[in-house]
Amino acid sequence: AVIPTRGKWNESFTYTAEAASSVSARVALEVYNPCSREWVERASGTIAPGDSQVNLTAKPFRYRCSEAEGDDASYRFAALFEG
């Protein structure tokens, strides 16, 4: 989920996901930038073992991207485990 559901390119958004892990892990929030055509990490955090909720706040873009105007942003969470 994303709050707010709409906004300007330079506003902050909070991204939330449910997580269940048997070990501690680093979680990265990645947002697709249609101008550079690549996934870019915008925030990160850590989850503890067990069930939890990940809340990361970020500004999706660092500069105005005309290709993104009027479109829904694409985002994903990546979990990075040690070992």
Side-chain angles (χ1 to χ4, degrees):
V2 180
I3 297 174
T5 56
R6 294 185 156 272
K8 297 180 180 178
W9 69 271
N10 59 349
E11 292 179 336
S12 292
F13 295 81
T14 299
Y15 299 78
T16 303
E18 299 296 324
S21 179
S22 60
V23 297
S24 295
R26 179 179 174 271
V27 178
L29 166 67
E30 298 176 342
V31 177
Y32 184 74
N33 184 328
C35 288
S36 64
R37 294 180 174 79
E38 62 186 1
W39 289 94
V40 181
E41 184 176 315
R42 285 289 167 243
S44 65
T46 304
I47 57 172
D51 294 337
S52 62
Q53 189 175 62
V54 178
N55 296 302
L56 298 174
T57 300
K59 291 184 178 184
F61 304 107
R62 293 187 181 178
Y63 56 88
R64 187 176 185 156
C65 176
S66 60
E67 284 89 341
E69 290 183 15
D71 291 334
D72 292 331
S74 297
Y75 66 95
R76 66 185 182 189
F77 287 91
L80 307 165
F81 302 95
E82 289 186 24

